[in-house]
Every structure is written in structure tokens, then in C-alpha cells.
Amino acid sequence: MTTTIKSLVSLNHQKRNRERVLVRALTFIFAFVSVGTTAGIIYELLKETVLFFQEVSIIEFFTDTRWTPLFASKRFGVLPLVNGTLLVAAGAMLVAVPLGLLAAIFLSEYASERLRKILKPILEILAGIPTVVYGYFALLFITPILRDLFPQTQIFNAASASIAMGFMILPLMASVSEDALSAVPRSLREAAYAMGATKFETATQVVLPAALSGVAAAFILAVSRAIGETMIVAIAAGQQPKLTLNPLESIETMTAYIVQVSLGDTPHQSIAYKTIFAVGMLLFVMTLVMNIVSYFITKRFRERYE
């Protein structure tokens, strides 16, 4: 009897060991696939980018103010594309940050549990709308309104793309911020009420500063999402790379240029083809830097509560 029990225990132990080894192997494979995919993307970007800079001066790339790689008179200054990208992203954040924070504060501090369960999914529906729909919404709905208000507005312009993009990233800003606000302990709110603070003062002067790391992370993630957005700017912002701070003018972003050149008309391995990877690498570095900044901000301002 004792031998049988020991045998069963041994078989059970061996089975658990096999399951443990299998789970570890599967998780390693999945992790390796993720890391390997990222490494492959970086390798391809680097390879083509190095070939591009063998033909084009890196100083010209970062200092020239004209971008005409598809014209007979070729110029390779990426600043107009960076300008257009940052202009649209900044406009989008002007829409998403105040609306997202107000929505997050309402859901976290004012809405009842039942109302929160209704409103939050409705708000997050915006994240499920295809970006191409946002693009045509900007072009066919927002642009006519802007042209009525400001007659000098061009048909393709940065402002309409910014507004549409702001509504697109609004759920990200609101959802992540609301999670950060909700994580603040109830005791801080009760202490503020005990000191005579109103609900609004508690939300803005106690809860919001306590959740600063999460809100900052939401902001950086939203900016990264705005910089990497493609279809909205490709449809509504135009294809005229220029250095301008006027959002009513037509501009071109880095992602819109990549779409333009990737349509199939550009000869493979030509200098115009290689510009895709140079611009893509710059875009990758910009978003990577923002994610690193987000990590350090979150780490620096993270509050720990008992």
C-alpha cells in the first residue's frame, strides 16, 4: 500500500514537472517571438537607413528645410515632415488632454458605480472606430465647419486632422487616467474632506497630483499614438511638406509620406524608396524616446500607498 502511494506521488510529481517545463518552454517561445520580431524590424530599418545615408548627408537630412525626394530637383530635409507630425500631434493633444482628464475625473470622482459601468464602455467605443473613418470624418465634416469659420482654411489642413485625431485618442487618455485616479486610496479623499475641501478641490488638488505618474504615462502614450497615426493625416492633412505653424494650411506628416511612397509606384532600391526607411527609423526613435521618458516619469513620480 505504501509503495503504491509513493508511486502515485512520484507519477504526480513527474507530471507536474513536465507541465512546468512545457509552460516555461511555451512562455519562452512567445517571449522570443516578440523580441525577435522587434529585432527583425529594427534590423530592416537600420539596414536600409544605412544605405540611405551612404547617398544622402545626415547633416542635410536634419538641417535642410525642403523635402522633395520625389521631384527632379531632390532635397532631403526631413524637418518639414517632423514639423507636420508635431503640429498635428500637438493639436490632437489640445483636444484629448483636457477632455480626457475631465472625463477621467468625472468617472472617478463624480459618477456612481452604475453610471461608470455605462459611460466608460461607451467612451471606449471611440477606440474601436477605424481610423480611416476618422479621416473621412475630418475631411467631410470638420473641414467644412472650419472653412465656414475661417475662410482661408485649405481643403486639406492640419487642424481638421488634429481634431479628429484628438477624439480618436480621447479614450486612451481618459481610460488610463481614470484607472490612475481610481487607484488613489480612499483615505486621501476622506482626509481632504475632513479638512473642509470640496469635491472639486479634492479631485484637482489631492487626487490628481497623487495620480500624476499614471496621468503623465497616459499623456506620453497618447502623444506616441498621435505621432504614429497614419490614415487620418493621409486623408485629411494633405501631402505638402512645409515648415509652418499655421494649422489651417496643408501639411504632410512622416506617416503620410510613408503611405504616399509605399503605394507601389516608387522603384525598388531607388533613393526615394530608401527614404521610407530613413523616415521610419526617425519615427521609431521618436516614439522609443517618448516611451522611455514615460517609463522614467512613471518611476520618478510613482506614489506608493500602504
Side-chain angles (χ1 to χ4, degrees):
M1 185 69 176
T2 304
T3 305
T4 303
I5 294 175
K6 289 182 177 180
S7 177
L8 290 174
V9 171
S10 177
L11 289 174
N12 189 39
H13 184 68
Q14 292 176 6
K15 181 181 179 182
R16 288 184 177 181
N17 284 338
R18 286 196 296 269
E19 290 176 350
R20 189 180 300 111
V21 171
L22 178 61
V23 170
R24 291 178 64 180
L26 288 175
T27 54
F28 172 79
I29 291 172
F30 295 148
F32 179 80
V33 168
S34 300
V35 175
T37 302
T38 304
I41 293 172
I42 295 174
Y43 170 76
E44 287 299 325
L45 284 174
L46 275 175
K47 183 179 68 174
E48 297 295 337
T49 302
V50 169
L51 294 176
F52 171 79
F53 284 120
Q54 288 177 351
E55 301 182 48
V56 176
S57 167
I58 191 171
I59 297 177
E60 176 188 356
F61 185 72
F62 286 108
T63 59
D64 198 343
T65 58
R66 292 191 60 193
W67 179 260
T68 57
L70 305 179
F71 295 178
S73 176
K74 299 183 185 300
R75 301 278 291 274
F76 297 96
V78 77
L79 289 180
L81 296 183
V82 175
N83 174 84
T85 300
L86 296 180
L87 181 63
V88 173
M93 297 312 295
L94 288 176
V95 175
V97 171
L99 293 181
L101 277 180
L102 289 174
I105 291 173
F106 175 78
L107 291 173
S108 174
E109 305 302 314
Y110 290 91
S112 64
E113 186 65 26
R114 182 179 179 183
L115 184 59
R116 186 185 300 114
K117 290 181 179 179
I118 296 174
L119 291 181
K120 193 169 182 180
I122 293 176
L123 177 64
E124 292 176 347
I125 287 176
L126 291 172
I129 299 176
T131 56
V132 65
V133 175
Y134 279 110
Y136 282 107
F137 172 74
L139 180 63
L140 302 178
F141 181 81
I142 298 177
T143 296
I145 295 176
L146 291 177
R147 287 172 66 84
D148 289 339
L149 297 175
F150 308 100
Q152 71 273 25
T153 304
Q154 298 181 5
I155 294 177
F156 299 99
N157 61 85
S160 60
S162 298
I163 295 171
M165 191 181 297
F167 284 108
M168 183 200 70
I169 62 178
L170 174 61
L172 174 62
M173 186 71 201
S175 181
V176 177
S177 298
E178 193 268 333
D179 290 339
L181 294 173
S182 298
V184 175
R186 181 67 186 173
S187 59
L188 289 183
R189 297 175 173 84
E190 292 174 349
Y193 295 145
M195 296 293 292
T198 64
K199 183 178 284 289
F200 180 77
E201 290 172 338
T202 301
T204 56
Q205 299 179 28
V206 176
V207 179
L208 186 59
L212 180 61
S213 62
V215 174
F219 176 83
I220 300 295
L221 288 173
V223 172
S224 299
R225 181 73 176 87
I227 288 177
E229 171 52 34
T230 303
M231 290 310 301
I232 295 176
V233 291
I235 294 172
Q239 295 182 349
Q240 297 183 27
K242 63 177 70 170
L243 282 172
T244 180
L245 295 178
N246 185 356
L248 303 180
E249 294 185 7
S250 176
I251 50 93
E252 186 171 34
T253 66
M254 301 164 74
T255 52
Y257 172 76
I258 293 173
V259 170
Q260 178 187 2
V261 180
S262 301
L263 295 178
D265 298 331
T266 306
H268 187 69
Q269 293 302 323
S270 65
I271 186 64
Y273 174 82
K274 294 173 184 175
T275 59
I276 299 176
F277 298 92
V279 173
M281 174 57 74
L282 179 58
L283 187 63
F284 174 81
V285 171
M286 290 172 62
T287 54
L288 177 63
V289 169
M290 288 185 181
N291 287 329
I292 293 174
V293 170
S294 174
Y295 170 77
F296 281 108
I297 289 177
T298 304
K299 185 177 179 180
R300 170 66 178 81
F301 295 101
R302 179 182 295 142
E303 298 284 353
R304 287 183 172 86
Y305 303 100
E306 297 297 335

